[in-house]
Amino acid sequence: MAQYAVLIYERVAPEDLPKEIMDGHMGLPDRIAGLGGKVTAGLALQPNETATAIRGDLVTDGPFVETKEVLAGVYILEARDLDHALACAKLTPVVEGGVEVRPLVDFQVVPD
């Protein structure tokens, strides 16, 4: 199965998310499995205020771009194809924002 990164964008701060949304995130892997997909990894990100951006030699506080939505987390999804990945990603609970699905390039990291 192909792998996809599902990027979760949200306008609502993590501490202000309703309990049903947080519960929805906890149950997401099971709901995706019900569609025949598989979540293989997932991470929530610290708030934008904790980001440090690097462009060449310039290091600045904050993310690259100012947006209304914040990149709140990411999970890796295994799906048959892009249509299947999109159907699975639509299950992601979001209050005010959305998700972005990107195919991943498979490569092996070989230790020294």
Side-chain angles (χ1 to χ4, degrees):
M1 296 225 291
Q3 289 190 322
Y4 299 85
V6 180
L7 308 171
I8 304 168
Y9 292 91
E10 181 66 81
R11 289 184 187 190
V12 177
E15 62 273 11
D16 296 331
L17 288 173
K19 181 180 181 328
E20 61 270 14
I21 295 294
M22 293 303 293
D23 291 346
H25 282 290
M26 298 306 294
L28 184 60
D30 290 335
R31 290 194 312 282
I32 287 174
L35 287 182
K38 181 179 179 184
V39 174
T40 61
L43 300 166
L45 300 177
Q46 292 290 336
N48 268 4
E49 298 78 38
T50 66
T52 303
I54 302 171
R55 287 187 187 257
D57 291 334
L58 181 63
V59 178
T60 59
D61 291 339
F64 277 128
V65 234
E66 292 295 324
T67 62
K68 292 180 182 174
E69 292 94 8
V70 173
L71 179 58
V74 61
Y75 64 92
I76 306 304
L77 169 66
E78 288 184 352
R80 292 184 297 273
D81 55 31
L82 179 58
D83 289 336
H84 185 218
L86 295 174
C88 292
K90 284 181 181 179
L91 299 174
T92 307
V94 177
V95 177
E96 290 182 48
V99 299
E100 180 179 327
V101 178
R102 291 196 192 180
L104 293 175
V105 176
D106 186 23
F107 65 92
Q108 300 295 318
V109 178
V110 180
D112 292 339

